[in-house]
C-alpha cells in the first residue's frame, strides 16, 4: 500500500507539470480510485477545468467524487467546499444553500462551526436575512458533545462564533 501511495504521489506531481493535465488527472483518478488521496487528483482536475472556464464539467467531477467519498473525512469536506465555491462563483446562492444543507454530513466534525457560518453567509448573499440571522444565533448558542459525552458550549472566542456575533450586529444595524 505504501508503494502504491508513493507511486500515486509521483504521478500526481508529474500530472501537475503535464501539458495534458485533464487527461493525466482523469487517468490518476481511474487507476488509483481505491486510495482516498486520489481525491487530490480530483481537486486538481477541478482547478484545471475551472481555469479553462469549464465550470459545469468541474461540478460534475466534484459530484462524482462526492458520490463515492466516504463521509466525514477531510477529502469529502474539501469536495463539498469546492462545490460550494463553484456555486458561489456562479452567483447560485440559493442552490449553494441547498447543497450545503444536503451535504452537511460529509463535513468533518471539527469544521462544522465554520461550515454553519458559511451557510449563514450564503443565506445573506441570497438575501435570506432572517434565515441567516437564525443560523448565526444557533451557532452562538450551540453546544457540542465532547468525547466523554459531556455537553460543552462552543468557545466564545472561536473565530466562527466571533464572526457570527459581528454579522448579527451588522444585521441589527441594518448594514447587511
Amino acid at each position: 500500500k505504501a508503494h502504491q501511495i508513493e507511486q500515486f504521489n509521483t504521478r500526481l506531481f508529474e500530472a501537475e507539470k503535464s501539458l495534458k493535465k485533464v487527461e493525466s488527472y482523469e487517468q490518476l483518478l481511474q487507476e488509483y480510485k481505491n486510495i482516498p488521496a486520489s481525491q487530490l487528483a480530483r481537486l486538481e482536475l477541478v482547478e484545471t477545468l475551472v481555469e479553462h472556464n469549464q465550470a459545469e464539467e468541474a461540478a460534475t467531477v466534484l459530484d462524482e467524487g462526492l458520490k463515492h467519498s466516504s463521509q466525514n473525512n477531510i477529502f469529502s469536506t474539501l469536495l463539498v467546499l469546492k462545490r460550494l465555491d463553484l456555486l458561489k462563483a456562479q452567483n447560485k446562492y440559493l442552490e449553494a444553500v441547498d447543497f450545503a444543507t444536503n451535504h452537511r454530513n460529509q463535513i468533518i466534525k471539527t469544521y462544522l462551526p465554520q461550515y454553519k457560518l458559511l451557510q449563514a453567509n450564503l443565506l445573506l448573499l441570497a438575501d435570506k436575512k432572517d434565515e441567516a440571522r437564525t443560523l448565526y444565533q444557533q451557532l452562538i448558542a450551540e453546544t457540542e458533545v465532547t468525547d466523554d459525552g459531556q455537553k460543552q458550549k462552543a468557545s466564545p472566542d472561536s473565530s466562527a462564533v466571533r464572526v457570527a456575533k459581528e454579522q448579527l450586529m451588522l444585521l441589527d444595524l441594518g448594514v447587511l
Side-chain angles (χ1 to χ4, degrees):
K1 182 107 180 174
H3 178 68
Q4 191 178 25
I5 292 171
E6 185 178 319
Q7 278 183 320
F8 170 77
N9 287 337
T10 301
R11 302 251 330 263
L12 181 63
F13 180 75
E14 290 169 357
E16 290 170 359
K17 307 242 179 279
S18 171
L19 294 176
K20 296 182 178 185
K21 287 183 182 183
V22 171
E23 294 86 356
S24 297
Y25 291 136
E26 288 172 341
Q27 187 177 13
L28 277 171
L29 280 170
Q30 185 60 36
E31 290 178 24
Y32 294 93
K33 61 185 168 195
N34 296 327
I35 298 176
S38 69
Q39 298 305 323
L40 293 173
R42 184 175 306 281
L43 291 166
E44 291 294 334
L45 173 58
V46 166
E47 282 299 315
T48 302
L49 290 170
V50 169
E51 287 171 7
H52 292 96
N53 296 316
Q54 297 176 327
E56 292 304 316
E57 292 87 343
T60 301
V61 169
L62 287 167
D63 291 341
E64 184 67 26
L66 286 167
K67 282 184 206 170
H68 301 292
S69 180
S70 61
Q71 299 196 359
N72 256 345
N73 69 35
I74 189 66
F75 297 115
S76 64
T77 299
L78 291 171
L79 292 172
V80 169
L81 293 174
K82 188 61 187 172
R83 185 70 168 97
L84 288 171
D85 190 41
L86 277 178
L87 290 168
K88 188 177 167 188
Q90 296 171 319
N91 297 323
K92 295 180 178 179
Y93 305 124
L94 287 176
E95 191 177 332
V97 168
D98 290 340
F99 185 88
T101 301
N102 294 333
H103 290 83
R104 188 172 190 264
N105 64 339
Q106 291 183 293
I107 301 298
I108 54 175
K109 184 180 176 187
T110 55
Y111 191 73
L112 284 174
Q114 290 88 349
Y115 191 71
K116 188 168 272 193
L117 180 64
L118 173 64
Q119 286 179 283
N121 290 340
L122 287 168
L123 284 164
L124 269 184
L125 289 170
D127 204 30
K128 302 278 187 183
K129 293 179 182 178
D130 291 338
E131 291 175 47
R133 177 186 302 280
T134 301
L135 265 182
Y136 290 133
Q137 290 168 337
Q138 285 175 0
L139 177 59
I140 293 166
E142 223 167 49
T143 58
E144 293 179 359
V145 178
T146 61
D147 290 337
D148 61 2
Q150 300 294 314
K151 286 191 174 185
Q152 171 182 317
K153 188 152 174 61
S155 171
D157 60 10
S158 78
S159 62
V161 171
R162 191 172 55 254
V163 172
K165 287 179 179 178
E166 291 169 0
Q167 293 291 77
L168 272 178
M169 184 180 68
L170 292 172
L171 277 169
D172 290 342
L173 292 172
V175 174
L176 296 177

